[in-house]
Amino acid sequence: MSKKPIILGIESSCDETAASIVTENEQGIPIILSNIVSSQVEVHKEFGGVVPELAARAHIEKIDIIVKKAINESGLKIEQIDAVASTAGPGLIVCLSVGLSFGKSFASAMNIPFISVNHLEGHALSPKLNSKLDYPYLLLLISGGHSQYLSVNGIGNYKRLGTTIDDALGEAFDKTAKLLGVEFPGGPQIEILAERGNPNKYKLPMPIFNKGGCNLSFAGLKTAVLKVSKNIKNEQDKFDIAASFQKTILNIMYKKTKNAFTEYEKNTNPNKKFFVVAGGVAANKKIRSMLIDLCNENNYENIFPPINLCGDNGAMIALVGLEKFKMKRFDDLDFPAKPRWQLDEGAAFLKGAGVKL
Ligand code: KG4
Ligand code: ZN
């Protein structure tokens, strides 16, 4: 029986301090030995969004405790870890630097390899943590920081088919929630308020809806919500705005995902069609059921990783570390934080076009 690598993964790109130990079994199926996530929601609540300096400070305060906990819960000794993988980007530079420095110091002190990981690559591979899934597959990543359609063709082989040109989807939910007086992160609350509202009360704009392809845009929606929210008179008005907002999102995501299917099939010509949805917004039941229906209509098998693996976590970073370890793709200890690190070669073009990366 060959010795399987044991990887410590560290994540600190935004407002979650996370660490995890991952290995694999004889068949090469990943095994999560521990997965600790400390959320900073309480730190940022009163500001209505993530404050980078406060986030960095909270990471510094928590990181050693979280890593220690991950090692303890794995039941392993620190000496059994074969490599450390840390998120190096994209994300907030002050936050990335914390996990990156910690990972490098750990690797150096233990004299084991250090591996830098692209956070998006972590999300892209996360469905493999709990399901047997072959390449290629189409991934929709919808979180507070990212919204993109990605063709995942193999390790290190990704093609971005579409991305948001302004706000991320979770950000749009959170900003709408803020306008309705709901605490950060308001996304889940919008879903609850929407249940009691009339989705047809307000007609909200759907930016770049009729433009082909699967790029997304949500900034115009926020401006429209700001306008209607000035006339809120009672609770029912709030319910109606939440319901109208969510319905507009459903319309946008239905059309753009359908376009993404077309782009994906044109680019990849897959034998079997898999559609994976990751990121915090994937928790939204209405979005989930719309996407499941869309998959059924288009012969896609749909996969939603469990919520704890959808949001930011260390296991997805350790998994990328594991794959890179097997390929002996290690990094030097001067590997920098890359706040705008993208996965695919199309990024340079989009950057030139003024697209938010
Ligand atoms: O992936 P995630 O946990 O963290 C990062 O963004 O990194 O995603 C959090 C985002 C927040 O914007 C939150 O409001 C949104 O996901 N979210 C939701 C729901 N649950 C979480 N948005 C809409 N409906 C939900 N049920
Ligand atoms: Zn993320």
Side-chain angles (χ1 to χ4, degrees), residues 15-16 143-145 170-171 173-174 185-188 191 279-281 283-284 310-312:
D15 59 344
E16 259 101 27
S143 70
E171 199 179 350
F173 267 91
D174 294 339
E191 184 175 7
V281 187
N284 184 291
C310 269
D312 290 349

Side-chain angles (χ1 to χ4, degrees), residues 128-346:
K128 287 183 167 285
L129 282 165
N130 78 316
S131 52
K132 175 103 188 67
L133 176 63
D134 291 326
Y135 301 112
Y137 53 87
L138 174 63
L139 174 85
L140 168 61
L141 172 59
I142 36 177
S143 70
H146 311 284
S147 297
Q148 50 185 259
Y149 294 97
L150 208 61
S151 169
V152 181
N153 307 320
I155 307 251
N157 184 356
Y158 313 98
K159 186 170 172 55
R160 188 172 43 181
L161 304 175
T163 186
T164 178
I165 60 168
D166 39 58
D167 293 347
L169 183 52
E171 199 179 350
F173 267 91
D174 294 339
K175 284 177 174 173
T176 294
K178 198 174 173 188
L179 290 169
L180 299 184
V182 176
E183 270 187 346
F184 172 82
Q189 291 302 319
I190 291 285
E191 184 175 7
I192 294 165
L193 298 184
E195 275 169 23
R196 302 167 68 181
N198 171 5
N200 300 316
K201 175 85 181 279
Y202 299 100
K203 190 162 168 36
L204 301 171
M206 296 192 282
I208 68 169
F209 186 75
N210 289 318
K211 226 171 167 199
C214 53
N215 276 336
L216 300 159
S217 169
F218 302 109
L221 242 182
K222 178 195 59 188
T223 315
V225 172
L226 173 68
K227 245 187 206 161
V228 294
S229 63
K230 287 195 172 131
N231 298 319
I232 291 173
K233 293 189 185 66
N234 50 46
E235 286 301 291
Q236 189 58 47
D237 288 342
K238 288 188 185 179
F239 301 152
D240 293 343
I241 293 174
S244 303
F245 168 81
Q246 189 169 263
K247 185 189 167 198
T248 309
I249 295 293
L250 289 170
N251 288 341
I252 295 171
M253 294 311 291
Y254 180 89
K255 169 99 178 266
K256 294 297 175 177
T257 303
K258 215 167 167 199
N259 289 356
F261 286 172
T262 308
E263 297 273 318
Y264 173 67
E265 287 162 37
K266 210 166 61 191
N267 274 278
T268 316
N269 200 14
N271 284 334
K272 203 152 190 278
K273 300 188 286 186
F274 293 104
F275 180 56
V276 178
V277 189
V281 187
N284 184 291
K285 290 185 208 72
K286 282 274 189 305
I287 294 179
R288 246 173 206 252
S289 67
M290 179 276 288
L291 292 172
I292 290 169
D293 289 347
L294 188 61
C295 281
N296 292 338
E297 287 161 22
N298 292 274
N299 298 319
Y300 273 76
E301 195 171 312
N302 61 275
I303 293 159
F304 287 87
I307 299 301
N308 67 325
L309 298 177
C310 269
D312 290 349
N313 63 85
M316 68 183 195
I317 304 305
L319 174 65
V320 178
L322 179 71
E323 296 299 344
K324 286 188 162 185
F325 184 90
K326 291 193 283 184
M327 296 185 279
K328 296 201 166 25
R329 279 174 48 195
F330 308 137
D331 292 294
D332 292 332
L333 293 181
D334 61 355
F335 193 95
K338 297 183 176 184
R340 292 165 75 83
W341 192 8
Q342 291 303 305
L343 274 181
D344 61 325
E345 71 289 353

